Structures are given as structure tokens and as C-alpha cells.
């Protein structure tokens, strides 16, 4: 059985579905490692949650750039003008970073919740926002 038979969609919709699946897999792994790192730096090293998120963001932005470019969006869009793609990628990641900082600020700083609370929207909200922006603007 071929992929076309398994996914009776037109070529563009099948491509989006496969990219979403690859992005979901890579993004899930990256997000889980990101979240564990945020928690470890915050709770085990005693770093302020917002500073911890900043440090972890810096490390995982590089990992994410290479993983999504080589795996999630492989074969999608052109691969010329890497400086433009890298700049756009950084801007999308900054949007995700600011969204995650908001979750930390609201859930930990304002509501006094435990430092793990923001991990829930890190995993279930931010990836959807960044996928849409990555697909359309960075790798499109």
C-alpha cells in the first residue's frame, strides 16, 4: 500500500499533514527536553523561573533551528538565502519565547503556582503557534 492510498489527500494537504507529523515528533522531543531543562535549572539550581526560561531558550533555539530545517520542513520551500530564513526563525522563536515567558509570569509569578505549571502550555499551546509561523513564514 502506498502513501497516496493511505492518505487520500491532494499533494499539498498530504505535504502539510506530513510536515505537521514530523514537526510534532521533533517538536515534542525538543519541547519535552526544553521543559525538563527549564524545570531542572529552576528547581534544582535555584534560578529564577524567568531567567531559567531565557537560558534554556538560548540553548534550544539552535537545536530547534537545525532539527526543524533538516527534518520537519525538509523539502518544503527554497533553501537559498539562509540569512533570511535564520532571521525569520529567530523572530518566530522569540514570539514563542515571549509567549512562554507570559505563561511563567502569569502562572508562577502572578498566581503563585509551582514552577512546573507553565510546562503545560509550553507543550500544548506554544507549539501550535510556532508551527503555523514556521510553515508559512520561515520555511514557506
Amino acid at each position: 500500500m502506498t502513501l497516496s492510498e493511505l492518505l487520500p489527500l491532494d499533494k499539498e494537504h498530504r505535504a502539510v499533514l506530513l510536515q505537521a507529523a514530523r514537526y510534532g515528533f521533533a517538536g515534542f522531543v525538543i519541547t519535552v527536553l526544553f521543559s525538563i531543562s527549564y524545570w531542572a535549572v529552576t528547581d534544582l539550581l535555584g534560578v529564577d523561573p524567568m531567567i531559567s526560561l531565557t537560558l534554556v531558550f538560548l540553548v534550544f533555539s539552535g537545536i530547534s533551528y537545525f532539527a526543524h530545517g533538516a527534518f520537519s520542513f525538509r523539502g518544503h520551500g527554497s533553501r537559498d538565502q539562509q540569512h533570511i530564513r535564520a532571521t525569520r526563525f529567530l523572530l518566530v522563536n522569540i514570539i514563542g519565547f515571549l509567549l512562554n515567558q507570559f505563561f511563567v509570569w502569569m502562572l508562577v509569578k502572578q498566581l503563585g503556582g509551582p514552577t512546573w505549571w507553565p510546562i503545560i502550555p509550553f507543550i500544548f499551546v506554544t507549539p501550535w503557534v510556532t508551527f503555523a509561523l514556521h510553515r508559512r513564514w520561515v520555511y514557506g
Side-chain angles (χ1 to χ4, degrees), residues 24-104:
F25 175 75
F28 178 76
V29 171
I30 291 166
T31 300
V32 167
L33 293 174
F34 171 89
S35 298
I36 290 168
S37 298
Y38 153 78
W39 175 82
V41 171
T42 301
D43 280 15
L44 300 180
L45 298 179
V47 176
D48 179 82
M50 296 183 87
I51 294 171
S52 170
L53 186 74
T54 302
L55 298 172
V56 171
F57 165 79
L58 292 172
V59 170
F60 278 88
S61 286
I63 294 168
S64 182
Y65 178 74
F66 290 109
H68 289 308
F71 178 69
S72 301
F73 295 103
R74 112 180 134 235
H76 180 70
S78 64
R79 292 296 184 235
D80 57 348
Q81 300 181 340
Q82 286 291 7
H83 62 288
I84 294 172
R85 181 176 318 285
T87 301
R88 288 179 177 179
F89 184 89
L90 181 60
L91 290 173
V92 168
N93 274 20
I94 289 171
I95 290 168
F97 167 73
L98 293 173
L99 186 58
N100 284 342
Q101 281 288 29
F102 170 76
F103 294 138
V104 170

